[in-house]
Amino acid sequence: MKKTNRDWWKKSVVYQIYPKSFYDSNGDGVGDILGIVEKLDYLKKLGIDVIWVSPIYDSPQVDNGYDIRNYKAIFHQYGTMDDFDLLLKEVHKRDMKLVMDLVVNHTSDEHIWFIESRKNKNSPYRDYYIWRDGKGDGMPPNNWGSIFGGSAWKYDEKTEQYYLHLFAVKQPDLNWENEELRKDIYKMMRFWLDKGIDGFRMDVINFISKNQQFPDGEIREGQAFGDGGPYFVNGPRIHEYLQEMNREVLSKYDIMTVGEMPGASTEDAKKYTNPQNNELNMIFTFEHMNLDCKNGDKWDLKPLDLVELKKNFEKWQTSLHGIGWNSLYWNNHDQPRIVSRFGDDETYREKSAKMLAVCLHMMQGTPYIYQGEEIGMTNVRFEKLEDYRDIELFNMYKEKQQLGWSHKKIMNAIYAKGRDNARTPMQWDDGENAGFTKGTPWINVNPRYKEINVKAALEHKESIFYFYQRLIQLRKEKDVITSGKFELLLRDNPKIFAYKRIGEKETFIVLCNFSNEHITIEDLELVSEIKNAPVVISNEKTNNNRKELTPYEAVVYSLMSKN
Ligand code: NOJ
């Protein structure tokens, strides 16, 4: 085991790669592992420390690899195990780390465990999945809806029982109650860790323990199915399982772990990430991503209330301080592009992208940058539904249509929230297919690639890319970013997100204007505090006029801490 500072992830910045859309090295229209290898110097230049790569395992790709057929093999279009070994070597050679996606709430229905499980009720693998009798008359075991639409249960004629799938029909849920299954998962995790990978991002890991009574969920207005969430989100044995996983596997390696956890509160997060509990290093919260929708339905759009966003960050920043650890993100492969969502992707694209970066990167936690975020990639609006690829979006379309939503309303929801916004190919240059592939891309490129691409960003000193580079460097240079206390300022101001980071010696004041207007800072005490204070970073050329912020301005001041 390597003996290093085990908290290295606290000072790290992670870059997420969605392999299908990153870089295609062989012209088949699909990104691949050797494509990632070719771009490692680009990532090194950006300054990131860790690469998290979304699933590259063998998979029928119903959910772009989050449906795994074989945990110990590589999806053929992405390459081979030799390619993977090369990637790991090349990443380490550049003094970066590699984190893999761990998808163990479910597998593909083409996984050998499920093939065996489904054969008969006495199969040794039967209990690796969640099988139940229906309620008669074609009724499933309970009323839970799947996250991708429809019932969460699928009837299987062979053995006349239903299996649970919280996601797609082809993603049956694993039964963590079964000890043999858990041992097999741990073995598989060791397989990758023994190769030398540096950690795991764990897919919906707080869903793995289900209430074994499988009670019906509440059916909310306008919904066809019951909400099973209360019975599987942060379920009864979740902490026991994670502690066991930690004991059996994680604790034996010098790695980082991050759990994707929809529905986890700050109280939950404290338990998951407090080092004394021996579970995970950090989790992904969804709370800040759920603020621009109604009733928890991501497709039901609502404008962002900045005050709510600020209070939410305040809650996470203060609750976990000194107890657990935050992850910081605006983007990933499931979320629309942040500059289109909370910024302005037209007039102020560059400026608002930088402002959003400052706002997030000056907080406490480990920041995650999603491919393309560092060049300000934007949402896409495909006119034709058939140009989209995401299974979630097609299921949603059918369901909303049945609920009476118009085509236009659904398309607007897709433009705002569809996951394919994040999945269009990485824009490398202004050539054909944005330089992503020499073949036909598996999903169309965003037509804005002529203007927004890596080549242009690298040639332009003031680009978003170099701004991110500077933010990443700052985290290395300034301890206050890692360890300072968070204090929200201008609490009820609806346009400015302002906060302090109070360190032992140095204090930062971070001011971010989330609007396209000039905004006066009305707090005179704050105005006098920042007067003559040195600027650490800003997206504005001069910060002489310190009583007002220009549209989407972001500025960070440094002060001596008061003792
Ligand atoms: C969360 C992943 O991020 C998402 O892309 C996937 O569809 C679901 N989990 C199911 O694995």
Side-chain angles (χ1 to χ4, degrees):
M1 198 200 305
K2 287 173 272 175
K3 273 273 169 262
T4 50
N5 167 19
R6 279 217 162 191
D7 282 356
W8 49 264
W9 39 269
K10 288 194 174 173
K11 276 230 171 247
S12 297
V13 177
V14 184
Y15 187 93
Q16 183 193 352
I17 290 182
Y18 198 63
K20 201 166 231 183
S21 303
F22 192 60
Y23 184 61
D24 173 19
S25 72
N26 64 359
D28 65 356
V30 171
D32 45 49
I33 294 174
L34 293 181
I36 302 175
V37 174
E38 273 190 52
K39 299 296 183 185
L40 289 179
D41 289 332
Y42 167 74
L43 299 180
K44 187 68 193 169
K45 187 177 171 97
L46 182 57
I48 55 106
D49 307 279
V50 180
I51 295 168
W52 148 32
V53 57
S54 277
I56 52 174
Y57 314 97
D58 177 37
S59 156
Q61 302 286 318
V62 163
D63 187 19
N64 284 346
Y66 284 91
D67 48 320
I68 297 173
R69 183 162 48 203
N70 183 347
Y71 286 108
K72 295 187 185 168
I74 302 290
F75 174 51
H76 68 97
Q77 281 192 304
Y78 291 166
T80 63
M81 196 56 95
D82 284 346
D83 295 345
F84 173 79
D85 293 339
L86 177 72
L87 171 66
L88 186 60
K89 202 173 104 203
E90 293 295 320
V91 168
H92 285 164
K93 202 161 99 190
R94 288 167 178 78
D95 210 17
M96 296 189 287
K97 295 182 189 284
L98 187 67
V99 163
M100 300 276 280
D101 223 301
L102 182 78
V103 189
V104 290
N105 174 68
H106 46 268
T107 65
S108 161
D109 66 344
E110 296 179 28
H111 193 289
I112 186 73
W113 294 340
F114 191 75
I115 294 174
E116 291 299 324
S117 179
R118 158 182 249 180
K119 276 187 183 159
N120 66 66
K121 288 184 178 168
N122 302 320
S123 154
Y125 290 98
R126 183 67 174 179
D127 197 37
Y128 270 38
Y129 294 85
I130 300 169
W131 293 96
R132 290 289 183 278
D133 289 327
K135 283 187 176 158
D137 292 338
M139 294 290 282
N142 69 22
N143 69 0
W144 295 0
S146 141
I147 291 155
F148 286 168
S151 165
W153 297 93
K154 171 79 181 160
Y155 183 66
D156 203 47
E157 276 175 5
K158 186 92 200 285
T159 53
E160 301 180 324
Q161 281 194 315
Y162 290 78
Y163 68 84
L164 180 73
H165 62 91
L166 292 181
F167 293 90
V169 174
K170 279 180 71 66
Q171 289 170 302
D173 278 54
L174 287 164
N175 177 21
W176 275 71
E177 299 284 320
N178 184 304
E179 204 185 327
E180 291 308 309
L181 175 268
R182 299 206 300 275
K183 283 190 188 153
D184 269 342
I185 299 274
Y186 302 153
K187 214 158 97 190
M188 173 276 283
M189 290 172 72
R190 278 186 224 109
F191 167 84
W192 289 101
L193 290 165
D194 289 339
K195 274 183 174 287
I197 68 159
D198 303 288
F200 288 114
R201 173 269 186 188
M202 303 186 183
D203 193 66
V204 287
I205 198 70
N206 62 332
F207 288 8
I208 60 177
S209 165
K210 278 92 175 167
N211 179 323
Q212 294 301 297
Q213 310 304 312
F214 291 94
D216 275 337
E218 185 195 338
I219 304 180
R220 295 221 192 82
E221 213 188 298
Q223 302 290 327
F225 293 93
D227 174 14
Y231 310 110
F232 64 77
V233 176
N234 310 310
R237 296 180 68 186
I238 182 66
H239 294 289
E240 177 193 332
Y241 293 156
L242 289 177
Q243 283 164 19
E244 179 184 83
M245 180 196 280
N246 189 295
R247 205 167 48 240
E248 298 296 321
V249 188
L250 308 175
S251 61
K252 303 193 195 306
Y253 301 84
D254 177 18
I255 55 172
M256 64 165 268
T257 53
V258 50
E260 188 206 24
M261 297 208 180
S265 65
T266 46
E267 286 312 302
D268 298 315
K270 282 188 205 168
K271 294 187 198 141
Y272 289 122
T273 69
N274 184 335
Q276 287 175 6
N277 291 351
N278 295 315
E279 297 185 18
L280 304 178
N281 297 143
M282 61 192 119
I283 70 159
F284 288 131
T285 165
F286 278 63
E287 287 188 356
H288 65 307
M289 294 279 102
N290 291 339
L291 296 176
D292 56 355
C293 67
K294 291 183 206 143
N295 311 318
D297 175 359
K298 84 170 199 185
W299 306 106
D300 208 350
L301 310 177
K302 173 178 116 178
L304 175 74
D305 175 347
L306 186 70
V307 174
E308 267 192 89
L309 183 76
K310 297 195 301 192
K311 290 188 176 159
N312 190 264
F313 271 110
E314 178 190 33
K315 184 175 74 178
W316 282 85
Q317 288 286 300
T318 52
S319 312
L320 266 61
H321 183 80
I323 298 174
W325 193 249
N326 270 297
S327 61
L328 305 169
Y329 77 96
W330 285 133
N331 273 114
N332 59 42
H333 63 291
D334 294 330
Q335 298 294 340
R337 295 281 178 182
I338 199 63
V339 67
S340 304
R341 188 178 187 177
F342 295 166
D344 172 345
D345 66 6
E346 295 290 341
T347 320
Y348 294 106
R349 186 183 66 86
E350 299 223 358
K351 198 170 172 197
S352 66
K354 291 175 186 172
M355 181 279 290
L356 288 159
V358 168
C359 184
L360 194 75
H361 281 247
M362 289 297 111
M363 289 192 205
Q364 184 174 44
T366 301
Y368 290 72
I369 300 169
Y370 178 68
Q371 64 184 47
E373 182 180 337
E374 77 281 14
I375 55 165
M377 277 178 62
T378 57
N379 281 352
V380 74
R381 296 167 78 92
F382 293 139
E383 239 170 78
K384 293 193 233 125
L385 188 63
E386 57 268 31
D387 282 340
Y388 285 93
R389 295 286 174 268
D390 183 14
I391 181 170
E392 179 193 51
L393 171 163
F394 291 114
N395 290 351
M396 177 281 284
Y397 192 97
K398 276 187 238 142
E399 215 163 87
K400 295 296 186 202
Q401 218 175 19
Q402 277 162 15
L403 289 169
W405 286 32
S406 68
H407 173 74
K408 197 167 158 212
K409 183 169 177 188
I410 306 178
M411 289 312 283
N412 281 335
I414 292 174
Y415 295 154
K417 289 293 185 65
R419 304 195 297 181
D420 281 341
N421 281 310
R423 299 175 180 187
T424 59
M426 181 71 181
Q427 293 155 208
W428 293 103
D429 59 39
D430 59 1
E432 213 183 333
N433 301 319
F436 161 70
T437 179
K438 296 214 162 53
T440 309
W442 70 278
I443 184 170
N444 289 344
V445 296
N446 186 322
R448 294 186 68 181
Y449 71 92
K450 295 244 177 228
E451 160 209 0
I452 306 167
N453 60 67
V454 168
K455 185 165 167 272
L458 292 178
E459 281 165 2
H460 178 49
K461 251 183 33 236
E462 304 289 317
S463 69
I464 303 169
F465 176 91
Y466 291 115
F467 198 80
Y468 268 87
Q469 189 187 55
R470 180 75 195 118
L471 283 170
I472 297 168
Q473 274 169 11
L474 269 178
R475 184 166 287 268
K476 309 269 176 297
E477 292 161 12
K478 301 282 194 179
D479 283 338
V480 59
I481 303 177
T482 320
S483 54
K485 259 175 69 181
F486 179 95
E487 192 184 299
L488 189 64
L489 304 170
L490 307 180
R491 169 177 295 275
D492 295 314
N493 188 307
K495 308 260 166 79
I496 302 180
F497 195 152
Y499 59 87
K500 270 189 186 170
R501 296 296 312 284
I502 308 166
E504 272 178 28
K505 295 195 195 101
E506 192 177 18
T507 290
F508 276 4
I509 293 187
V510 182
L511 302 178
C512 295
N513 181 358
F514 271 68
S515 80
N516 59 4
E517 298 159 37
H518 290 259
I519 307 283
T520 309
I521 305 168
E522 271 158 6
D523 182 331
L524 296 180
E525 208 180 308
L526 181 60
V527 171
S528 89
E529 258 189 304
I530 58 181
K531 198 171 166 197
N532 302 324
V535 171
V536 180
I537 189 166
S538 175
N539 63 359
E540 194 49 277
K541 289 223 163 39
T542 59
N543 298 95
N544 296 334
N545 185 358
R546 289 168 177 179
K547 293 195 184 94
E548 129 175 336
L549 296 179
T550 61
Y552 293 106
E553 179 175 349
V555 53
V556 181
Y557 294 101
S558 164
L559 316 174
M560 300 287 283
S561 290
K562 294 181 194 136
N563 287 314

